[in-house]
Protein backbone atom coordinates (compact mmCIF):
# COMPACT_ATOMS: atom_id res chain seq x y z
CA UNK A 1 0.00 0.00 0.00
CA UNK A 2 1.63 3.24 -1.15
CA UNK A 3 1.66 6.55 0.70
CA UNK A 4 -0.16 8.18 -2.22
CA UNK A 5 -3.03 5.67 -2.03
CA UNK A 6 -3.31 6.20 1.74
CA UNK A 7 -3.47 9.97 1.29
CA UNK A 8 -6.14 9.55 -1.40
CA UNK A 9 -8.32 7.40 0.90
CA UNK A 10 -7.91 9.84 3.80
CA UNK A 11 -9.03 12.67 1.52
CA UNK A 12 -12.09 10.75 0.42
CA UNK A 13 -12.99 9.98 4.05
CA UNK A 14 -12.66 13.63 5.03
CA UNK A 15 -14.81 14.64 2.09
CA UNK A 16 -17.46 12.08 2.96
CA UNK A 17 -17.46 13.28 6.59
CA UNK A 18 -17.85 16.88 5.49
CA UNK A 19 -20.75 15.95 3.18
CA UNK A 20 -22.46 14.02 6.01
CA UNK A 21 -22.14 16.96 8.39
CA UNK A 22 -23.48 19.29 5.75
CA UNK A 23 -26.48 17.02 5.10
CA UNK A 24 -27.23 16.73 8.82
CA UNK A 25 -27.06 20.49 9.24
CA UNK A 26 -29.51 21.11 6.41
CA UNK A 27 -32.02 18.33 7.35
CA UNK A 28 -35.06 19.46 9.34
CA UNK A 29 -34.90 18.52 13.03
CA UNK A 30 -37.37 15.82 14.12
CA UNK A 31 -38.63 15.93 17.70
CA UNK A 32 -41.43 14.39 19.64
CA UNK A 33 -44.51 16.61 20.01
CA UNK A 34 -44.91 18.06 23.46
CA UNK A 35 -48.07 17.07 25.36
CA UNK A 36 -50.89 19.58 25.58
CA UNK A 37 -50.65 21.48 28.85
CA UNK A 38 -54.23 21.26 30.07
CA UNK A 39 -55.38 24.18 32.19
CA UNK A 40 -59.09 23.33 32.33
CA UNK A 41 -60.79 20.13 31.19
CA UNK A 42 -64.55 20.22 30.55
CA UNK A 43 -66.26 16.82 30.74
CA UNK A 44 -69.72 16.46 29.20
CA UNK A 45 -71.69 13.21 29.16
CA UNK A 46 -73.68 13.29 25.92
CA UNK A 47 -74.42 15.28 22.81
CA UNK A 48 -77.72 14.90 20.99
CA UNK A 49 -76.43 15.14 17.42
CA UNK A 50 -73.52 17.07 15.99
CA UNK A 51 -71.24 19.30 18.03
CA UNK A 52 -72.63 22.40 16.38
CA UNK A 53 -75.51 23.57 14.24
CA UNK A 54 -78.35 21.46 15.60
CA UNK A 55 -80.22 20.84 18.86
CA UNK A 56 -77.74 21.30 21.70
CA UNK A 57 -76.99 18.65 24.28
CA UNK A 58 -74.46 18.96 27.11
CA UNK A 59 -71.41 19.60 24.90
CA UNK A 60 -72.50 21.87 22.04
CA UNK A 61 -72.37 25.26 23.75
CA UNK A 62 -68.95 24.47 25.21
CA UNK A 63 -67.74 23.32 21.79
CA UNK A 64 -69.00 26.44 20.05
CA UNK A 65 -67.29 28.70 22.58
CA UNK A 66 -63.90 26.98 22.77
CA UNK A 67 -63.28 24.38 20.04
CA UNK A 68 -64.97 25.20 16.73
CA UNK A 69 -61.56 25.42 15.05
CA UNK A 70 -59.85 22.68 17.09
CA UNK A 71 -58.55 19.45 15.61
CA UNK A 72 -60.04 16.40 17.37
CA UNK A 73 -57.52 14.21 19.18
CA UNK A 74 -58.53 10.54 19.19
CA UNK A 75 -57.85 8.72 22.46
CA UNK A 76 -57.90 4.93 22.58
CA UNK A 77 -60.40 3.76 25.18
CA UNK A 78 -62.39 7.02 25.32
CA UNK A 79 -65.89 7.38 23.93
CA UNK A 80 -65.13 10.51 21.94
CA UNK A 81 -62.18 12.64 20.86
CA UNK A 82 -60.63 15.40 22.95
CA UNK A 83 -60.65 19.00 21.72
CA UNK A 84 -58.16 21.63 22.91
CA UNK A 85 -57.66 25.30 22.16
CA UNK A 86 -54.56 27.47 22.33
CA UNK A 87 -55.43 28.62 25.87
CA UNK A 88 -55.20 25.10 27.31
CA UNK A 89 -58.96 24.54 27.59
CA UNK A 90 -59.78 20.96 26.59
CA UNK A 91 -62.99 18.96 26.60
CA UNK A 92 -64.69 15.76 25.56
CA UNK A 93 -67.93 13.79 25.67
CA UNK A 94 -67.31 10.93 28.12
CA UNK A 95 -70.58 8.99 27.93
CA UNK A 96 -73.54 8.51 30.26
CA UNK A 97 -73.38 6.46 33.45
CA UNK A 98 -70.60 5.75 35.91
CA UNK A 99 -68.71 3.04 34.01
CA UNK A 100 -69.00 4.74 30.62
CA UNK A 101 -67.83 8.15 31.81
CA UNK A 102 -65.10 7.05 34.22
CA UNK A 103 -63.48 4.67 31.72
CA UNK A 104 -63.30 7.50 29.18
CA UNK A 105 -61.82 9.84 31.80
CA UNK A 106 -59.20 7.24 32.75
CA UNK A 107 -58.15 6.75 29.13
CA UNK A 108 -57.78 10.49 28.60
CA UNK A 109 -55.90 11.11 31.86
CA UNK A 110 -53.19 8.53 31.16
CA UNK A 111 -52.78 9.38 27.47
CA UNK A 112 -49.30 10.87 26.84
CA UNK A 113 -50.76 13.48 24.48
CA UNK A 114 -51.89 15.49 27.53
CA UNK A 115 -50.28 16.96 30.64
CA UNK A 116 -52.88 17.12 33.42
CA UNK A 117 -50.42 17.88 36.21
CA UNK A 118 -51.93 21.34 36.88
CA UNK A 119 -55.38 20.93 35.34
CA UNK A 120 -58.74 21.99 36.72
CA UNK A 121 -61.84 19.98 35.88
CA UNK A 122 -65.44 21.00 35.21
CA UNK A 123 -67.74 17.97 35.17
CA UNK A 124 -70.67 19.44 33.29
CA UNK A 125 -74.15 18.18 32.51
CA UNK A 126 -77.86 18.11 33.21
CA UNK A 127 -79.66 16.49 36.13
CA UNK A 128 -82.80 16.45 38.21
CA UNK A 129 -83.67 18.29 41.41
CA UNK A 130 -86.08 17.74 44.29
CA UNK A 131 -88.85 20.37 44.13
CA UNK A 132 -88.23 21.24 47.78
CA UNK A 133 -84.68 22.34 46.90
CA UNK A 134 -84.47 23.51 43.30
CA UNK A 135 -86.17 24.42 40.05
CA UNK A 136 -86.03 23.84 36.31
CA UNK A 137 -83.25 25.88 34.71
CA UNK A 138 -81.17 26.34 37.85
CA UNK A 139 -77.42 25.69 37.78
CA UNK A 140 -75.66 24.09 40.74
CA UNK A 141 -72.02 23.80 41.81
CA UNK A 142 -71.48 20.67 43.89
CA UNK A 143 -70.12 20.97 47.40
CA UNK A 144 -70.23 17.19 47.84
CA UNK A 145 -70.47 14.24 45.47
CA UNK A 146 -72.17 11.16 46.92
CA UNK A 147 -72.60 7.72 45.35
CA UNK A 148 -76.24 6.66 45.50
CA UNK A 149 -75.67 2.99 44.63
CA UNK A 150 -72.79 1.78 46.80
CA UNK A 151 -74.54 0.07 49.70
CA UNK A 152 -77.29 -2.37 50.64
CA UNK A 153 -80.95 -1.94 49.61
CA UNK A 154 -84.07 -4.01 50.18
CA UNK A 155 -87.76 -3.76 49.38
CA UNK A 156 -89.83 -1.40 51.56
CA UNK A 157 -92.33 -4.17 52.41
CA UNK A 158 -89.46 -6.11 53.96
CA UNK A 159 -88.66 -3.31 56.38
CA UNK A 160 -90.28 -1.65 59.35
CA UNK A 161 -92.82 0.91 58.15
CA UNK A 162 -91.34 4.31 57.44
CA UNK A 163 -87.69 3.32 58.00
CA UNK A 164 -84.97 3.75 55.33
CA UNK A 165 -84.28 0.78 53.06
CA UNK A 166 -80.60 1.61 52.59
CA UNK A 167 -77.47 0.80 54.55
CA UNK A 168 -73.97 1.85 53.46
CA UNK A 169 -71.42 -0.86 52.78
CA UNK A 170 -68.56 -0.64 55.25
CA UNK A 171 -65.07 -0.11 53.90
CA UNK A 172 -66.12 1.97 50.90
CA UNK A 173 -65.99 5.38 52.56
CA UNK A 174 -63.35 6.79 50.20
CA UNK A 175 -65.24 5.59 47.13
CA UNK A 176 -68.74 6.79 47.89
CA UNK A 177 -68.34 10.42 48.97
CA UNK A 178 -66.14 13.33 48.00
CA UNK A 179 -66.09 16.73 49.64
CA UNK A 180 -64.99 19.11 46.92
CA UNK A 181 -62.53 21.89 47.66
CA UNK A 182 -64.56 24.54 49.57
CA UNK A 183 -62.27 27.33 48.40
CA UNK A 184 -62.75 26.33 44.77
CA UNK A 185 -66.54 26.14 45.23
CA UNK A 186 -66.46 29.60 46.84
CA UNK A 187 -64.48 30.94 43.88
CA UNK A 188 -66.96 29.39 41.45
CA UNK A 189 -69.87 31.06 43.21
CA UNK A 190 -68.04 34.38 43.46
CA UNK A 191 -67.40 34.38 39.73
CA UNK A 192 -70.75 33.07 38.53
CA UNK A 193 -73.54 33.70 41.05
CA UNK A 194 -74.81 36.76 39.17
CA UNK A 195 -74.77 35.14 35.71
CA UNK A 196 -77.92 36.10 33.76
CA UNK A 197 -79.83 32.86 33.19
CA UNK A 198 -82.32 32.01 30.49
CA UNK A 199 -85.83 30.77 31.18
CA UNK A 200 -88.70 29.42 29.09
CA UNK A 201 -92.45 29.99 29.15
CA UNK A 202 -92.95 26.23 29.17
CA UNK A 203 -90.74 25.87 32.25
CA UNK A 204 -92.55 28.70 34.03
CA UNK A 205 -95.88 26.99 33.42
CA UNK A 206 -94.57 23.58 34.49
CA UNK A 207 -93.24 24.92 37.80
CA UNK A 208 -96.73 26.04 38.80
CA UNK A 209 -97.79 22.39 39.10
CA UNK A 210 -95.71 22.16 42.26
CA UNK A 211 -96.64 23.82 45.56
CA UNK A 212 -93.01 24.17 46.74
CA UNK A 213 -91.62 27.69 46.85
CA UNK A 214 -88.23 26.43 45.63
CA UNK A 215 -89.80 24.68 42.64
CA UNK A 216 -91.58 27.88 41.58
CA UNK A 217 -88.44 30.00 41.65
CA UNK A 218 -86.85 31.43 38.55
CA UNK A 219 -83.52 29.84 37.56
CA UNK A 220 -80.61 30.64 39.90
CA UNK A 221 -77.03 29.59 40.63
CA UNK A 222 -76.65 27.55 43.82
CA UNK A 223 -74.67 24.85 45.60
CA UNK A 224 -75.26 21.54 47.35
CA UNK A 225 -74.74 17.79 47.19
CA UNK A 226 -74.89 16.05 43.82
CA UNK A 227 -76.08 12.45 44.07
CA UNK A 228 -74.46 10.08 41.54
CA UNK A 229 -76.41 6.97 40.65
CA UNK A 230 -76.75 4.62 37.70
CA UNK A 231 -80.35 4.31 38.86
CA UNK A 232 -82.48 7.05 37.30
CA UNK A 233 -84.59 7.24 40.43
CA UNK A 234 -87.97 8.98 40.66
CA UNK A 235 -90.64 9.60 43.24
CA UNK A 236 -90.87 11.19 46.69
CA UNK A 237 -89.74 7.98 48.39
CA UNK A 238 -86.51 7.71 46.39
CA UNK A 239 -85.89 11.44 46.76
CA UNK A 240 -86.29 11.14 50.51
CA UNK A 241 -83.83 8.24 50.50
CA UNK A 242 -81.27 10.29 48.55
CA UNK A 243 -81.55 13.06 51.14
CA UNK A 244 -81.18 10.46 53.89
CA UNK A 245 -77.97 9.14 52.30
CA UNK A 246 -76.54 12.65 51.94
CA UNK A 247 -77.14 13.33 55.64
CA UNK A 248 -75.91 9.87 56.63
CA UNK A 249 -72.60 10.66 54.93
CA UNK A 250 -72.30 14.09 56.53
CA UNK A 251 -72.82 15.93 53.26
CA UNK A 252 -74.87 19.04 52.48
CA UNK A 253 -78.48 18.88 51.32
CA UNK A 254 -79.05 16.78 48.23
CA UNK A 255 -79.99 19.17 45.43
CA UNK A 256 -79.06 17.42 42.16
CA UNK A 257 -79.42 13.87 40.90
CA UNK A 258 -76.97 12.83 38.17
CA UNK A 259 -75.18 9.71 36.92
CA UNK A 260 -71.43 10.32 36.58
CA UNK A 261 -69.63 12.86 38.78
CA UNK A 262 -68.60 10.69 41.75
CA UNK A 263 -67.15 8.03 39.45
CA UNK A 264 -65.23 10.54 37.32
CA UNK A 265 -63.91 12.19 40.47
CA UNK A 266 -62.65 8.87 41.84
CA UNK A 267 -60.59 8.40 38.67
CA UNK A 268 -59.17 11.91 38.93
CA UNK A 269 -58.45 11.42 42.63
CA UNK A 270 -56.23 8.41 41.94
CA UNK A 271 -54.06 10.32 39.51
CA UNK A 272 -54.15 14.00 40.54
CA UNK A 273 -56.31 14.40 43.64
CA UNK A 274 -59.63 16.25 43.93
CA UNK A 275 -58.59 19.79 44.93
CA UNK A 276 -59.19 21.07 41.38
CA UNK A 277 -62.44 19.22 40.61
CA UNK A 278 -65.71 21.08 40.04
CA UNK A 279 -69.12 19.55 39.31
CA UNK A 280 -71.62 21.77 37.49
CA UNK A 281 -75.18 20.64 36.78
CA UNK A 282 -78.33 22.23 35.44
CA UNK A 283 -81.76 20.94 36.47
CA UNK A 284 -83.97 19.86 33.56
CA UNK A 285 -86.51 17.88 35.58
CA UNK A 286 -87.87 17.34 39.08
CA UNK A 287 -87.02 14.01 40.74
CA UNK A 288 -90.71 13.39 41.45
CA UNK A 289 -94.15 14.23 40.18
CA UNK A 290 -96.43 16.90 41.55
CA UNK A 291 -98.96 15.91 44.24
CA UNK A 292 -101.66 15.31 41.62
CA UNK A 293 -99.78 12.67 39.62
CA UNK A 294 -98.28 9.27 40.37
CA UNK A 295 -94.60 8.49 39.93
CA UNK A 296 -95.39 6.37 36.88
CA UNK A 297 -97.33 9.24 35.34
CA UNK A 298 -94.33 11.48 35.95
CA UNK A 299 -91.98 8.93 34.37
CA UNK A 300 -94.19 8.47 31.31
CA UNK A 301 -95.97 11.79 30.76
CA UNK A 302 -98.56 12.40 28.11
CA UNK A 303 -97.55 14.49 25.07
CA UNK A 304 -97.09 18.11 26.06
CA UNK A 305 -96.88 17.27 29.74
CA UNK A 306 -93.08 17.22 30.07
CA UNK A 307 -91.02 19.90 31.76
CA UNK A 308 -89.82 22.62 29.41
CA UNK A 309 -86.59 24.57 29.53
CA UNK A 310 -84.05 21.97 28.37
CA UNK A 311 -82.54 24.19 25.68
CA UNK A 312 -82.31 27.12 28.08
CA UNK A 313 -80.75 25.00 30.83
CA UNK A 314 -77.91 23.59 28.74
CA UNK A 315 -77.09 27.13 27.68
CA UNK A 316 -77.23 28.30 31.30
CA UNK A 317 -74.73 25.61 32.31
CA UNK A 318 -72.17 26.83 29.81
CA UNK A 319 -72.80 30.49 30.64
CA UNK A 320 -72.11 29.84 34.32
CA UNK A 321 -69.18 27.49 33.78
CA UNK A 322 -67.46 29.67 31.20
CA UNK A 323 -67.10 32.49 33.72
CA UNK A 324 -64.92 30.25 35.86
CA UNK A 325 -63.03 28.67 32.96
CA UNK A 326 -62.23 32.05 31.43
CA UNK A 327 -61.11 33.51 34.75
CA UNK A 328 -58.73 30.62 35.43
CA UNK A 329 -57.11 30.75 31.99
CA UNK A 330 -56.89 34.57 31.93
CA UNK A 331 -55.21 34.55 35.35
CA UNK A 332 -53.20 31.35 34.98
CA UNK A 333 -50.19 32.77 36.79
CA UNK A 334 -52.29 32.95 39.97
CA UNK A 335 -54.03 29.58 39.47
CA UNK A 336 -51.44 27.16 38.13
CA UNK A 337 -49.92 26.38 41.53
CA UNK A 338 -53.34 25.86 43.18
CA UNK A 339 -56.53 27.64 44.14
CA UNK A 340 -55.54 31.20 45.15
CA UNK A 341 -56.79 33.01 48.22
CA UNK A 342 -59.90 35.08 47.54
Amino acid sequence: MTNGWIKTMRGLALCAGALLLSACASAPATRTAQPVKVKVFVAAMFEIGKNTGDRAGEFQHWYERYWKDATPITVAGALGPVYCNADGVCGSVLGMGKVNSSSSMQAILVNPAFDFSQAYYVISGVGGTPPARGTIGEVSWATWLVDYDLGHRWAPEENKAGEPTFMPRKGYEEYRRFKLNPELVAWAMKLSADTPLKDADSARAYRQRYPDAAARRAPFVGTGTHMTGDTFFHGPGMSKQAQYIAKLYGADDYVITEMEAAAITLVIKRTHGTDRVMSLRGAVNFDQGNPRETTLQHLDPAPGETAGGFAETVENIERVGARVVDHITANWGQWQAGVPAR
Side-chain angles (χ1 to χ4, degrees):
M1 188 178 294
T2 64
N3 288 337
W5 188 87
I6 292 172
K7 289 179 180 179
T8 299
M9 292 302 292
R10 285 176 177 171
L12 288 172
L14 289 171
C15 180
L19 287 171
L20 180 61
L21 287 172
S22 175
C24 289
S26 60
T30 57
R31 55 185 178 181
T32 305
Q34 293 297 310
V36 176
K37 184 74 174 178
V38 182
K39 295 176 182 176
V40 183
F41 184 83
V42 179
M45 309 309 137
F46 71 88
E47 185 49 59
I48 295 171
K50 298 179 180 179
N51 286 338
T52 186
D54 58 4
R55 185 187 179 200
E58 293 180 341
F59 192 62
Q60 186 168 132
H61 291 296
W62 291 107
Y63 178 85
E64 290 176 345
R65 178 182 286 265
Y66 294 111
W67 307 302
K68 286 192 74 171
D69 299 321
T71 301
I73 303 170
T74 301
V75 175
L79 178 69
V82 176
Y83 300 88
C84 296
N85 68 10
D87 293 327
V89 180
C90 298
S92 184
V93 175
L94 303 185
M96 291 180 65
K98 289 190 283 188
V99 173
N100 206 3
S101 60
S102 61
S103 59
S104 291
M105 190 75 253
Q106 179 70 29
I108 294 167
L109 280 175
V110 301
N111 192 287
F114 310 101
D115 177 1
F116 282 94
S117 61
Q118 294 181 312
Y120 291 84
Y121 305 84
V122 179
I123 303 169
S124 169
V126 298
T129 186
R133 296 291 189 277
T135 192
I136 305 299
E138 73 160 289
V139 181
S140 171
W141 293 102
T143 52
W144 290 76
L145 301 173
V146 171
D147 190 294
Y148 177 79
D149 302 309
L150 201 55
H152 302 276
R153 277 189 175 85
W154 54 97
E157 63 268 22
E158 297 165 2
N159 199 25
K160 293 180 180 179
E163 291 192 0
T165 56
F166 175 85
M167 180 173 63
R169 187 170 179 84
K170 292 182 180 179
Y172 288 78
E173 288 77 12
E174 298 306 312
Y175 307 153
R176 68 191 186 209
R177 63 182 177 193
F178 304 90
K179 183 177 183 180
L180 299 185
N181 187 340
E183 285 300 310
L184 186 53
V185 175
W187 262 109
M189 284 298 290
K190 177 181 178 180
L191 294 168
S192 67
D194 62 347
T195 304
L197 300 181
K198 286 194 168 184
D199 202 359
D201 290 340
S202 56
R204 292 187 189 98
Y206 189 84
R207 293 185 193 110
Q208 300 310 307
R209 302 179 179 201
Y210 291 79
D212 311 82
R216 294 185 172 209
R217 286 184 66 180
F220 63 96
V221 181
T223 63
T225 292
H226 294 185
M227 187 70 60
T228 302
D230 280 321
T231 303
F232 192 24
F233 62 82
H234 273 268
M238 293 293 97
S239 181
K240 182 179 179 181
Q241 188 170 98
Q243 193 66 262
Y244 168 76
I245 294 170
K247 293 304 181 184
L248 189 67
Y249 291 171
D252 296 330
D253 276 0
Y254 147 65
V255 298
I256 289 288
T257 169
E258 44 85 9
M259 302 175 70
E260 298 88 13
I264 295 170
T265 299
L266 177 58
V267 170
I268 298 170
K269 177 181 179 179
R270 289 178 172 172
T271 49
H272 299 290
T274 62
D275 278 353
R276 301 186 181 205
V277 174
M278 292 168 275
S279 179
L280 179 66
R281 294 280 174 165
V284 293
N285 64 272
F286 292 115
D287 69 357
Q288 58 195 274
N290 67 69
R292 296 176 299 281
E293 65 181 342
T294 67
T295 297
L296 288 179
Q297 287 171 334
H298 186 240
L299 277 170
D300 188 21
E305 297 296 309
T306 57
F310 181 91
E312 290 76 14
T313 303
V314 292
E315 187 171 349
N316 287 344
I317 295 166
E318 183 271 333
R319 283 185 172 196
V320 170
R323 285 195 168 195
V324 178
V325 172
D326 291 346
H327 178 86
I328 290 173
T329 55
N331 300 276
W332 185 241
Q334 300 171 29
W335 283 81
Q336 60 181 338
V339 180
R342 284 177 289 128

